[in-house]
Amino acid sequence: MRYVEVRPTKTSYEVYLHAVEDAGSESFLDLGEFPPLDPDDEAVEFGRLLGTAEDPLTALIAAEQRTGAERGRWVNENVVQDEYGDFVRAGRPSGASPDGRPWPVVPDAL
């Protein structure tokens, strides 16, 4: 499973791509606790840095261009568990998200 994070730092905003094992259940939704997809690659265990930006909008644009993330689907950190829970309760649909919208197309660059 992959998800994108935009993280503020003192002087910029960093864009990270996280690739984790889909190890959740209805009672375990904390994506931050999921094991990395490749446990032998410590460099990406906490996310792969895709880039930095000086302001949040530029960081969102970079994330969208690099990962296929969609503007209308960004959520706050504390909401992502709820979104994942909806995905799990819907039976982990492969063709579309629980709200019926198709999954984003991920660029080949990743």
Side-chain angles (χ1 to χ4, degrees), residues 6-83:
V6 175
R7 184 183 306 165
T9 66
K10 289 183 180 182
T11 60
S12 65
Y13 292 83
E14 298 175 336
V15 178
Y16 287 91
L17 176 66
H18 299 276
V20 296
E21 182 180 330
D22 185 0
S25 66
E26 288 190 44
S27 61
F28 180 52
L29 303 172
D30 188 354
L31 276 65
E33 296 297 319
F34 288 10
L37 197 55
D38 183 358
D40 294 329
D41 189 353
E42 290 182 32
V44 296
E45 183 172 346
F46 298 105
R48 184 171 131 204
L49 179 62
L50 298 179
T52 60
E54 292 183 11
D55 61 85
L57 180 58
T58 304
L60 289 176
I61 291 168
E64 292 164 355
Q65 290 173 342
R66 294 287 312 271
T67 68
E70 295 181 17
R71 181 72 46 102
R73 300 190 76 139
W74 286 97
V75 297
N76 291 332
E77 180 178 14
N78 296 333
V79 177
V80 72
Q81 275 80 247
D82 295 335
E83 294 287 319

